[in-house]
Amino acid sequence: MVDGLNQEDKRTRVILGNIQSCVAELDLLLTHLLAMADGVLGKSSVCLCITLASKGKDVKAAEKELGDTEDELRKHVESLVQATQLHKFSTRTANKLKQADARRFWDEHFGDQREVSVETLAEALRFEVNEREYKGLDSEVALPICRQCFAGQTVTVLGFGEVFATASISDTMAALSKRVKAQSHMFAVKVFDYEEKKIDQTTEPGFFMCRASDSLKVIRHLVMTHALTLGEDEDDSDDEFTFNGGVVGTTGTNDKHSPRSLHDVPPEFRFMASGEFSFFLDNGAVRVTRKQEKTLEGEEYLSRVVLVRNDDLPDSLRPKKKVQKSGGIAGPGSNDDTAWETESRAGEGSSMGDGKDTEAYAEDVAEAIMRRASEELAVSSCRDIVTALRTPGILQGLRVAVVRARLPEEALTFLVEVDQLRRAAGAISPTAAGALSLPRLRMVKASATNIATRFLAAGASYGLPVSDEVRATAANEIAETASLAEQEDPPPFGLDKRMLEALVVPFLETEKTLAPALGSLRRKQANQNKVVTGKNATAGEKKKHRVVILGGGDAGNTVAFDLARDDRFHVTLVDPKNYFEDVTAQPMLLCNPGTATEGRWCGTVCAYGTVIDAGSHSRNSHVPGFAMSVSKSFVEVGSERAVVPYDSLVITTGSSYSSNIKIENPTAEFRLRQLQAEAAVIRCSDTILVIGGGLVGVECASNIGERYPGKRVVLVQSGSVLLPRVPKAHAKIMKRMEQLGVEVHLNERVIAFDDMLREYKTDKGNVFHAGKVYRCVGATPNTGLFKDDRTDPAIAAQVDDKGFVKVTAYCQLNGFTNVYAGGDILEDKMFGSSGAHAVDGNQYPERIASTAFIHGLIIARNIKRKLDGEPEGGANLCSFDKNNDPFGAALEISLGLECGLGVVHPILADIYDSMNFSFGISREELERDKCGVSPEVARNKEQVTALVVGAFQNVEMNQIVQGMFGGDPKMKDPLAAPPGGAPEGGAPEAAPEAAPVPEAVAYEPEAVPEAVAEEPEAVPEAVAEEPEAVPAAVAEMAVPEPEAVAEEPEPEPAAVAEVAVPEAVPEAPAAEPVPDPEAAAAEPEDAQAVQAVE
């Protein structure tokens, strides 16, 4: 029956499989009937029926079952006949592919196949290029072309035909290859007034995205498409990404606000939409003919070209209208200029002009096809809630969308945790069909109980948009099943399944509630590469210098606050959060963050709106999202790759931890609820385990030990001393730990983690069962955006082998005059040291908040001075010199709320003492040990936090901080007042401090994560009961030495305050971030994709 069929065809394979299933089912039915009739089969079906009836069997039911199966078999056979006729009477490729070369290619390589994988098509194209020796084509570009042109894993005949519809395989491949290799380019549409010989300032068509290799022929097509989007003001009422600016253009075709008719376009832009313009170079000096447009390509021409209305040109230069064979406009034409040929539309299949301009048309098609594929891929990544949850970049966009839709953020966190639990459970196979799997049961029980406690039980930390009845039913079912699982001999079947099923109804109801946010995100995703601008200037105003800042931490906010209050600048702050958080203060509020109006936490945050708001005239903006890539004139933000242009760029993306210490939740309100939930977890845990004895670990262990003297607090340190970067500190800290009852294990590493069972084993055989675990063992610079494929290669090259950014002493990227960087992401030479390591004697860079403030001051002052006319490398520019640091860092490390460890040079201590900022440590002890324990240190840290947060809200306070850091000898400011004078605004009552941070660590919440957003919350793999709470701990902490190496000198984070300079008031504080083990374990993908804040 199947002779002559192509059994490799997908449709045929499916039909044959269905027929085989039906035949097998009939066979089973007959066997069953025979068994019912005791093997007695008459010579007809009547005899069989009589036999069955005589035995009391239901003959009608048997007859119906046989009839249904026979009908199904008949349908499949008919489908097979159809497929046979299709193969016999038509060639699918010949029917579907209009372009001759495309037909030839598909027939040669795939025959009658309707679809192939992307990889298979790429291999065929690679073979074609090599075999036919296409000139100038690299066969290795075939796979990137296929991946960018075809969304999904397979390519159908129709999909192939859409890409290779007009030009030959070689011409289309050449055009696609050029676009795949080229960088993105932001094209500014400039209309030139030919009579006045200047740019027409009354017409501002905005920007659109193209490729740096595009020809003016392609640009013409993009200008016409772009003009059709200028018909209406966009309505952002349902847009979760309110940019506080205007969307000025997009080359996308899915914008529901974009007009599709020429008559909908404003009159001043209709000449663009209809193609009635000519290109000129060099401000109208050189005219480009239509025939030349396809040969002039690349940035050399894109940066010089302007548009001139054809109606404004003299008759001698005005393009002549020409009759087209297809019925175009009548008029005499010239052989030199064919300005009125029919404009091609990508995907329509019509030829361009007289049909000979296939190369230019191939480029048109390449642009449209790749844009459409990009949009389809973006939309597919958020086709449903679960898909969005599993894509880090999309997840962060969904978080923002949820906030914009005024839905509870915890609802999304709940979905994330349940989805992670399902995936983790699915990864553990049962021991046999339905048999009990103890590892799976333990994991599901721990995670489900944790989720129920925090989201579903009465008095839960978080609320869900579901009815009380649904919550109670699910919580009770999980509690009842969990109690059965705790029995010595639990029931052998179904307990894990029962707990998972109990979460289904609340999951579905929550998913339904978030549907509006998902729809809003999907619409956003459909419009890739929108060009976004702030409200730079009103009519008659001079255009402002656009400064884009990536990351709202200490360095980024220092720049933002200063420039936002200078009328010459328009500031755009890019950060996934809407608030600044001084993480250096968090170890002291871990156990009791307080409320939104009272307690410690409310004094550690401020809204970004206050940072960049310079009054009623301010047009500065905050773009919520992760920076994805950087080009020479713009950055791409968020999964929809919104384009934000700049004149000067400041990259202060900070660092991130393996556990989610630096959280990227969109709102401060939800962050507070997380910290409150974290405090509740600590309160309910009998044992708290802190891994890592550096700055972060010491602060966390001591603060928890002081607040809960009855709990077992265990601190495990891989090295031989605590706080090894301060040689004489170990004995003093150990004494404090003994007073607090903290159990310290030195020269010991945790080597086995079971977050579900809360069981942790060390290399010395100790086993700790902890309700809460803090992994204080490392951070990495947020430089993922430098590695993005769309980042300019020259910018991407400015990252060293450790992942840090290489800059000049002026905080500029090497080779760039308008791209700056500051904070934790900078290379080692941009940080001072706190001295020799206690174990190996080496000196390590201290990546701390105070140094980030200095970077911010240098950047802000240099941008302003260069705008004033100071040349590159000019004598009046500020610079950084780590070697100009006579006293080293001054640190304040919290050892609880009652006291702390101060690290300061005796002379520097005298200076601070004269400013009423005493460390409370005797001169004798400082001369001997350079450190000491004192109650004043803990009090000073609180004052430092107030000063830091106040500096980003109040001009007078900001002047005090600028005075402090401006006097730091590491910062060289040729225009600064002579040292010795009090900072402007008077000396503060308390001097700020800064905290050291290890090489790969950072403290500031400054960053704009690049790829993804974090999922702090529960991951099934993470500690069951508190996957979510991200330890609030810590600011600028450096990362404690990794546990892996006993004497590892790797710098630890510091929750400290580093005292600045003798000449000035000390610097800003820094606190250590405390890693959150639970979140980390559960969200590996997020941890990689996200670029957290400094």
Side-chain angles (χ1 to χ4, degrees):
M1 181 173 65
V2 297
D3 289 345
L5 283 183
N6 179 6
Q7 296 185 52
E8 296 303 315
D9 178 73
K10 184 175 180 180
R11 181 184 177 190
T12 303
R13 290 200 307 270
V14 171
I15 296 172
L16 289 175
N18 291 337
I19 291 175
Q20 188 175 13
S21 298
C22 288
V23 171
E25 189 175 346
L26 282 172
D27 188 52
L28 286 173
L29 281 171
L30 290 172
T31 302
H32 182 58
L33 291 173
L34 280 173
M36 291 169 58
D38 295 330
V40 178
L41 180 60
K43 295 182 179 179
S44 69
S45 59
V46 176
C47 295
L48 176 59
C49 292
I50 293 174
T51 303
L52 290 174
S54 67
K55 296 181 176 295
K57 306 297 183 182
D58 188 348
V59 177
K60 289 187 177 180
E63 184 179 10
K64 183 178 186 304
E65 197 166 356
L66 279 170
D68 290 345
T69 306
E70 184 181 1
D71 289 342
E72 186 177 355
L73 178 59
R74 184 177 290 108
K75 289 178 183 177
H76 291 314
V77 171
E78 289 173 355
S79 297
L80 184 63
V81 170
Q82 267 190 334
T84 306
Q85 291 172 340
L86 190 61
H87 278 278
K88 183 176 180 180
F89 297 113
S90 71
T91 301
R92 285 190 298 272
T93 51
N95 244 3
K96 303 299 180 184
L97 299 178
K98 298 180 180 179
Q99 213 280 335
D101 200 32
R103 275 200 307 275
R104 187 268 313 159
F105 174 85
W106 191 273
D107 284 335
E108 283 184 7
H109 292 278
F110 308 122
D112 290 332
Q113 294 184 65
R114 279 198 178 92
E115 63 181 22
V116 296
S117 69
V118 168
E119 290 73 17
T120 301
L121 176 59
E123 185 59 37
L125 288 171
R126 188 183 295 116
F127 177 83
E128 177 93 357
V129 171
N130 290 332
E131 188 72 10
R132 294 179 177 263
E133 299 180 352
Y134 291 141
K135 269 190 179 181
L137 276 179
D138 178 7
S139 62
E140 295 308 312
V141 82
L143 184 57
I145 285 176
C146 290
R147 286 178 174 167
Q148 290 194 35
C149 291
F150 302 102
Q153 300 299 314
T154 59
V155 181
T156 64
V157 172
L158 291 175
F160 176 80
E162 288 177 355
V163 175
F164 295 88
T166 308
S168 66
I169 295 292
S170 60
D171 285 348
T172 305
M173 284 283 288
L176 292 171
S177 175
K178 190 187 302 182
R179 294 189 65 79
V180 164
K181 293 179 180 179
Q183 291 292 310
S184 295
H185 178 83
M186 186 177 65
F187 183 81
V189 184
K190 300 175 185 176
V191 178
F192 189 77
D193 188 324
Y194 193 79
E195 269 190 38
E196 299 293 331
K197 301 299 182 187
K198 64 180 183 180
I199 299 296
D200 185 353
Q201 300 292 346
T202 64
T203 304
E204 294 188 19
F207 308 82
F208 60 77
M209 298 306 298
C210 63
R211 296 282 182 169
S213 63
D214 280 343
S215 68
L216 295 187
K217 183 70 174 176
V218 174
I219 295 300
R220 173 175 290 276
H221 170 72
L222 293 176
V223 166
M224 295 173 67
T225 304
H226 171 68
L228 292 174
T229 70
L230 302 176
E232 303 176 1
D233 291 332
E234 295 217 351
D235 175 15
D236 291 329
S237 60
D238 65 339
D239 189 347
E240 73 277 17
F241 293 89
T242 300
F243 287 91
N244 298 326
V247 177
V248 299
T250 171
T251 57
T253 58
N254 294 311
D255 191 340
K256 65 177 182 177
H257 301 292
S258 300
R260 290 293 173 264
S261 167
L262 186 63
H263 299 290
D264 294 327
V265 178
E268 65 269 27
F269 299 125
R270 286 181 189 168
F271 77 97
M272 292 168 49
S274 61
E276 297 177 12
F277 60 86
S278 295
F279 287 124
F280 278 71
L281 300 177
D282 304 326
N283 285 328
V286 180
R287 175 173 172 260
V288 179
T289 68
R290 283 294 299 274
K291 285 186 177 180
Q292 292 170 331
E293 287 178 8
K294 67 179 181 181
T295 62
L296 302 183
E297 58 186 27
E299 290 184 279
E300 175 189 359
Y301 295 102
L302 298 183
S303 60
R304 297 162 52 196
V305 72
V306 294
L307 278 64
V308 176
R309 299 176 182 86
N310 287 338
D311 289 345
D312 293 347
L313 293 173
D315 290 341
S316 60
L317 295 179
R318 190 174 301 173
K320 303 299 186 289
K321 297 181 181 180
K322 174 177 180 176
V323 178
Q324 296 298 304
K325 295 179 183 179
S326 57
I329 301 174
S334 73
N335 292 329
D336 180 55
D337 199 314
T338 56
W340 293 94
E341 60 191 283
T342 302
E343 185 64 33
S344 69
R345 296 292 179 188
E348 288 182 358
S350 59
S351 60
M352 170 174 275
D354 57 4
K356 297 177 181 178
D357 197 9
T358 56
E359 182 181 353
Y361 186 55
E363 291 183 12
D364 264 355
V365 173
E367 180 277 326
I369 287 293
M370 293 177 70
R371 169 166 43 85
R372 186 179 61 188
S374 173
E375 292 168 356
E376 289 177 356
L377 185 61
V379 172
S380 68
S381 64
C382 57
R383 62 180 177 273
D384 55 53
I385 284 284
V386 173
T387 303
L389 298 180
R390 298 177 181 182
T391 310
I394 300 296
L395 175 61
Q396 183 63 18
L398 186 56
R399 288 186 187 282
V400 177
V402 166
V403 173
R404 295 292 188 210
R406 290 180 168 77
L407 297 170
E409 290 178 65
E410 46 263 60
L412 185 57
T413 298
F414 170 74
L415 297 183
V416 168
E417 296 190 16
V418 173
D419 181 62
Q420 289 173 336
L421 171 57
R422 288 172 175 173
R423 285 191 287 165
I428 303 177
S429 302
T431 55
L436 177 65
S437 169
L438 287 178
R440 175 186 166 101
L441 178 59
R442 286 198 299 264
M443 185 271 294
V444 172
K445 171 185 166 291
S447 292
T449 302
N450 178 28
I451 292 172
T453 301
R454 290 182 299 110
F455 292 96
L456 301 171
S461 303
Y462 301 112
L464 291 179
V466 300
S467 67
D468 292 341
E469 181 182 357
V470 168
R471 292 175 60 175
T473 301
N476 293 337
E477 176 69 6
I478 291 173
E480 179 183 334
T481 310
S483 65
L484 292 176
E486 290 173 355
Q487 297 177 358
E488 289 187 13
D489 185 20
F493 301 105
L495 294 184
D496 51 355
K497 186 177 179 182
R498 278 181 62 183
M499 286 186 279
L500 291 173
E501 288 177 347
L503 294 168
V504 170
V505 174
F507 184 95
L508 293 177
E509 288 201 10
T510 303
E511 181 180 28
K512 183 178 179 181
T513 302
L514 298 188
L518 181 65
S520 185
L521 177 64
R522 192 179 294 120
R523 287 191 295 274
K524 197 64 172 179
Q525 287 294 107
N527 288 286
Q528 292 284 296
N529 273 155
K530 273 188 178 178
V531 180
V532 177
T533 66
K535 298 171 184 174
N536 192 303
T538 58
E541 284 186 329
K542 183 179 179 181
K543 292 222 172 157
K544 297 175 183 277
H545 186 89
R546 299 167 302 180
V547 179
V548 173
I549 302 170
L550 309 182
D554 292 306
N557 274 2
T558 299
V559 179
F561 188 91
D562 192 352
L563 299 186
R565 283 150 184 81
D566 188 323
D567 288 339
R568 298 174 298 171
F569 298 96
H570 175 273
V571 175
T572 299
L573 178 62
V574 178
D575 193 293
K577 310 184 306 298
N578 69 356
Y579 61 97
F580 164 78
E581 181 177 24
D582 181 16
V583 289
T584 65
Q586 289 188 8
M588 298 179 74
L589 57 77
L590 263 185
C591 300
N592 183 22
T595 67
T597 56
E598 296 180 351
R600 294 179 180 276
W601 185 79
C602 62
T604 67
V605 296
C606 69
Y608 284 145
T610 63
V611 177
I612 60 176
D613 182 10
S616 58
H617 66 288
S618 174
R619 296 187 182 88
N620 302 311
S621 56
H622 166 227
V623 176
F626 293 102
M628 308 298 285
S629 69
V630 181
S631 186
K632 292 178 181 177
S633 59
F634 63 89
V635 296
E636 292 183 330
V637 178
S639 56
E640 80 283 10
R641 299 273 180 169
V643 175
V644 184
Y646 67 81
D647 297 312
S648 291
L649 175 66
V650 181
I651 306 173
T652 51
T653 45
S655 62
S656 58
Y657 289 78
S658 55
S659 8
N660 292 310
I661 293 178
K662 297 174 179 180
I663 299 307
E664 301 308 325
N665 295 322
T667 66
E669 293 77 14
F670 184 52
R671 175 61 168 154
L672 175 59
R673 293 199 292 275
Q674 283 184 320
L675 294 178
Q676 291 170 336
E678 176 83 0
V681 170
I682 295 174
R683 185 169 60 250
C684 298
S685 299
D686 296 325
T687 300
I688 291 89
L689 174 63
V690 179
I691 303 171
L695 294 171
V696 182
V698 164
E699 286 208 328
C700 290
S702 57
N703 276 276
I704 296 172
E706 180 187 79
R707 177 63 185 257
Y708 297 109
K711 294 185 184 297
R712 184 189 184 196
V713 180
V714 180
L715 175 61
V716 178
Q717 163 71 328
S718 62
S720 57
V721 297
L722 297 178
L723 217 61
R725 291 187 299 182
V726 184
K728 301 291 183 69
H730 175 74
K732 303 176 191 293
I733 296 175
M734 284 298 295
K735 181 178 179 181
R736 176 62 175 166
M737 293 299 179
E738 290 171 7
Q739 293 173 351
L740 298 176
V742 176
E743 186 180 321
V744 179
H745 294 252
L746 299 174
N747 295 314
E748 190 167 0
R749 292 196 306 266
V750 177
I751 57 174
F753 299 81
D754 189 335
D755 291 325
M756 294 301 101
L757 293 180
R758 308 166 192 274
E759 184 175 277
Y760 306 88
K761 298 179 183 178
T762 74
D763 56 354
K764 290 189 175 180
N766 289 316
V767 178
F768 302 109
H769 292 87
K772 179 65 184 173
V773 179
Y774 288 104
R775 293 180 178 125
C776 309
V777 290
T780 53
N782 291 329
T783 51
L785 77 169
F786 286 84
K787 302 168 188 174
D788 189 272
D789 291 342
R790 299 193 190 183
T791 290
D792 187 275
I795 294 176
Q798 303 309 311
V799 176
D800 65 20
D801 55 359
K802 295 179 182 178
F804 296 104
V805 179
K806 297 180 285 187
V807 294
T808 67
Y810 305 111
C811 290
Q812 291 175 234
L813 263 64
N814 290 302
F816 291 84
T817 61
N818 66 334
V819 180
Y820 302 81
D824 289 0
I825 62 172
L826 297 192
E827 58 185 320
D828 294 353
K829 74 175 187 180
M830 300 301 289
F831 299 90
S833 171
S834 59
H837 193 277
V839 176
D840 63 15
N842 294 325
Q843 292 194 354
Y844 297 92
E846 299 287 1
R847 288 185 166 82
I848 52 181
S850 58
T851 307
F853 271 103
I854 296 173
H855 294 159
L857 287 177
I858 291 173
I859 293 169
R861 294 181 184 181
N862 285 348
I863 290 176
K864 291 199 287 187
R865 290 175 190 178
K866 286 164 74 173
L867 194 62
D868 288 334
E870 187 70 23
E872 280 301 316
N876 291 327
L877 295 181
C878 299
S879 60
F880 184 90
D881 182 3
K882 74 170 185 178
N883 297 316
N884 194 25
D885 192 12
F887 301 112
L891 312 176
E892 287 186 330
I893 303 164
S894 165
L895 298 177
L897 302 181
E898 302 301 325
C899 69
L901 177 76
V903 182
V904 63
H905 192 284
I907 297 178
L908 199 55
D910 289 342
I911 295 174
Y912 288 129
D913 201 29
S914 69
M915 304 159 117
N916 296 319
F917 186 70
S918 174
F919 275 70
I921 305 168
S922 70
R923 172 77 183 224
E924 178 185 359
E925 185 176 10
L926 287 177
E927 288 181 343
R928 182 184 70 245
D929 301 333
K930 300 290 192 303
C931 66
V933 175
S934 163
E936 277 82 356
V937 174
R939 288 194 287 271
N940 288 343
K941 283 181 67 69
E942 296 186 54
Q943 294 175 330
V944 167
T945 293
L947 187 62
V948 169
V949 175
F952 297 139
Q953 303 179 80
N954 179 278
V955 174
E956 289 72 25
M957 202 83 106
N958 189 270
Q959 289 299 317
I960 293 175
V961 173
Q962 287 206 34
M964 293 180 350
F965 297 124
D968 190 307
K970 294 190 291 296
M971 175 178 171
K972 294 183 177 180
D973 186 352
L975 301 183
E984 186 177 339
E989 294 183 2
E993 321 136 302
V997 185
E999 325 182 82
V1001 199
Y1003 56 94
E1004 357 177 25
E1006 166 151 15
V1008 176
E1010 310 157 359
V1012 140
E1014 48 76 29
E1015 300 174 19
E1017 271 77 39
V1019 185
E1021 303 110 40
V1023 178
E1025 31 212 47
E1026 19 172 359
E1028 155 162 21
V1030 175
V1034 274
E1036 136 164 61
M1037 343 184 3
V1039 182
E1041 305 114 278
E1043 343 168 16
V1045 184
E1047 17 197 65
E1048 177 74 47
E1050 177 180 353
E1052 315 101 66
V1056 208
E1058 159 175 26
V1059 186
V1061 182
E1063 304 123 293
V1065 193
E1067 314 169 356
E1072 337 176 291
V1074 180
D1076 186 4
E1078 298 107 46
E1083 318 167 8
E1085 63 253 46
D1086 281 357
Q1088 294 175 351
V1090 175
Q1091 264 211 353
V1093 246
E1094 288 184 4

